Amino acid sequence: MASGIKSDIIISITQPHLDHIVNQKKNHEFRGYLLPSRVTRFWIYEPSPVSAIKYIAEVSNGKRPGEIVDGGFIRNSDFNQGKMDGGKFAYEILKLEALDTPITLLQLKTKRWLLGAPQKYCYVKEEMALELRDMKTTAISAHSVPIWPVDNTERAEDEKEPASQDIRRFLSRKPKFPGKQSTTLSGGIRKGGKEKKTRLQQDGD
């Protein structure tokens, strides 16, 4: 049986809620259940008629009513006041990236990464993460603080990062270039039609 990466889940978000997240009008995803604290990343699946994974989001642990800052974002005030039916927990979108090439449901089923469209959520299989490590992504939004704390062993950009058992090792470092950059999950930055690889990606080749 294939093992899963416990920090990453595939989760379905319907419209118009997904567009509100992408357009940065909504900064929390509300659910009726509390996810394990180790879950830190959503692979966001848009249901039919799109039927594809289109985005990857870094998320907070679940928050309860009264624990989020309103900020004028959609449904934050209602959540804090306990006025949301079925919305008992809120997951803040800390960072959002769009897959340059969405992963269709047909591909997911053909690869046996999913048996069908996700109904609640499911963990990302290890072989899926490994195969998609070089998939190109474009940053949409990011939190004002780094998603990953800087490890004490990381003294310079070209130093090899510490080994990790989850997909975090495959994600790109924060681009140094302004604007939206197309990157790979393993760390490449596409600029001028050529891909510049980080040491992490070179070590994985």
Side-chain angles (χ1 to χ4, degrees):
M1 183 176 178
S3 60
I5 297 177
K6 301 306 181 183
S7 61
D8 293 58
I9 62 171
I10 301 172
I11 192 167
S12 179
I13 300 180
T14 60
Q15 295 292 6
H17 309 296
L18 181 54
D19 277 349
H20 290 159
I21 291 173
V22 173
N23 295 327
Q24 300 180 53
K25 296 178 180 179
K26 181 175 183 247
N27 69 341
H28 285 81
E29 174 62 14
F30 305 103
R31 296 280 157 159
Y33 47 83
L34 181 63
L35 292 167
S37 60
R38 61 180 177 267
V39 173
T40 57
R41 188 172 296 106
F42 288 176
W43 293 61
I44 300 174
Y45 177 89
E46 183 174 348
S48 179
V50 175
S51 301
I53 296 174
K54 295 180 63 178
Y55 305 97
I56 298 179
E58 304 287 350
V59 299
S60 70
N61 289 151
K63 304 177 185 180
R64 291 174 170 80
E67 294 182 346
I68 68 177
V69 177
D70 184 352
F73 291 96
I74 291 175
R75 304 306 303 275
N76 283 4
S77 179
D78 289 342
F79 176 79
N80 275 338
Q81 296 176 49
K83 294 181 178 180
M84 292 184 61
D85 292 336
K88 297 181 179 179
F89 300 94
Y91 301 89
E92 185 176 359
I93 307 298
L94 302 174
K95 179 180 179 182
L96 183 67
E97 295 188 0
L99 300 182
D100 290 3
T101 304
I103 312 165
T104 67
L105 179 59
L106 178 60
Q107 291 174 309
L108 292 165
K109 292 169 68 176
T110 300
K111 296 280 190 178
R112 296 185 179 180
W113 294 337
L114 284 180
L115 297 177
Q119 300 302 309
K120 188 175 180 181
Y121 70 87
C122 58
Y123 290 103
V124 172
K125 291 184 177 180
E126 186 175 349
E127 60 266 32
M128 174 179 167
L130 288 169
E131 186 164 330
L132 297 178
R133 62 183 297 180
D134 292 321
M135 177 165 283
K136 309 299 185 297
T137 64
T138 299
I140 294 177
S141 65
H143 199 272
S144 59
V145 298
I147 300 300
W148 313 126
V150 176
D151 192 276
N152 290 333
T153 62
E154 187 176 4
R155 301 300 182 186
E157 180 181 276
D158 61 351
E159 282 188 344
K160 184 175 180 180
E161 293 184 3
S164 174
Q165 294 303 312
D166 65 27
I167 200 171
R168 297 177 190 181
R169 66 182 299 186
F170 303 136
L171 295 186
S172 63
R173 293 174 177 171
K174 192 173 182 180
K176 290 187 176 181
F177 308 102
K180 295 181 178 179
Q181 295 287 332
S182 180
T183 66
T184 68
L185 293 181
S186 55
I189 300 175
R190 295 179 64 83
K191 186 179 181 186
K194 295 183 178 180
E195 181 176 337
K196 178 182 177 182
K197 295 185 178 180
T198 65
R199 171 63 67 87
L200 175 60
Q201 185 174 0
Q202 292 169 353
D203 290 344
D205 286 345

